[in-house]
Amino acid sequence: EAMKQLSPGQITPPVRTQSGYHILLLRAKGSVLAGDPMEAEVHLKNVLIPFTKQPTKEDVERLMAEARQVRAGLTSCAAVDERGHKDGLSGDLGKPGEMMKVASLPRGLGQLVAQLQVNEMSQPVPTDQGIMMFMVCARKDPPKRKPPTKEQVANQIYMERLDMQQ
């Protein structure tokens, strides 16, 4: 019940259960039956808008605005490739055509990419090299989970009733 009240990133006050008190963090909401998006495999392309010098806060803001304009014009992986042929700052992340597990990507990048669909460009991300954006060109989602069995549901209800008696 405490988790139902939360939005992703929020923490509950202490919650009493049969095994003691717990403080819970809601990381994300999603379908219980959907596969874990971090287990998906993706083929990624990236676009870099490089820093030419040590950027000031104003430089970063200007380049972020430029990146949002570039993002609007890149609606497919073919468009990212075309841009890469022109400026050499776009292309495959990893080997061409290689699929990689989202969970194997650096944590922040994995979370960013996990929610992207095919031919969807990420929001611009400032890095130490410049402003980067990522596009999913192919995606293989993990298999869906099976719904709980009657026995599992009955067991959960039994455990909840036991918990209420204490």
Side-chain angles (χ1 to χ4, degrees), residues 13 19 21 34 52 54 86 94 102 105 124 126 129-130 139 149 154 160 162:
S19 61
Y21 286 90
T52 55
Q54 183 63 35
K86 288 180 190 172
V102 172
L105 298 169
Q129 298 172 358
R139 181 181 190 92
T149 64
E160 287 174 1
L162 269 178

Side-chain angles (χ1 to χ4, degrees), residues 78-149:
V80 173
D81 283 338
E82 187 177 315
R83 180 181 168 91
H85 290 303
K86 288 180 190 172
D87 64 18
L89 299 172
S90 306
D92 291 277
L93 189 66
K95 295 177 185 169
E98 177 185 41
M99 299 289 280
M100 57 185 76
K101 195 173 268 195
V102 172
S104 70
L105 298 169
R107 187 172 183 206
L109 177 57
Q111 291 172 340
L112 180 72
V113 167
Q115 306 308 319
L116 295 177
Q117 298 304 314
V118 174
N119 287 325
E120 182 180 1
M121 183 67 80
S122 73
Q123 292 294 323
V125 178
T127 69
D128 58 343
Q129 298 172 358
I131 308 298
M132 293 192 85
M133 295 176 288
F134 303 91
M135 181 175 280
V136 174
C137 295
R139 181 181 190 92
K140 182 181 173 192
D141 286 315
K144 303 252 186 236
R145 296 182 184 131
K146 294 180 182 176
T149 64

Side-chain angles (χ1 to χ4, degrees), residues 12-38:
T12 64
V15 177
R16 184 172 180 226
T17 70
Q18 81 182 62
S19 61
Y21 286 90
H22 301 273
I23 296 174
L24 307 169
L25 164 67
L26 180 63
R27 291 186 182 174
K29 284 188 177 184
S31 170
V32 174
L33 301 180
D36 182 357
M38 296 301 282

Side-chain angles (χ1 to χ4, degrees), residues 34-93:
D36 182 357
M38 296 301 282
E39 293 301 313
E41 291 183 6
V42 294
H43 171 223
L44 289 176
K45 292 195 181 281
N46 69 322
V47 175
L48 173 66
I49 298 174
F51 296 138
T52 55
K53 59 180 172 120
Q54 183 63 35
T56 64
K57 185 178 179 183
E58 292 78 25
D59 291 334
V60 172
E61 289 173 8
R62 181 181 48 75
L63 287 173
M64 288 291 282
E66 180 183 331
R68 283 189 280 277
Q69 288 179 338
V70 167
R71 179 179 183 259
L74 297 175
T75 57
S76 69
C77 291
V80 173
D81 283 338
E82 187 177 315
R83 180 181 168 91
H85 290 303
K86 288 180 190 172
D87 64 18
L89 299 172
S90 306
D92 291 277
L93 189 66

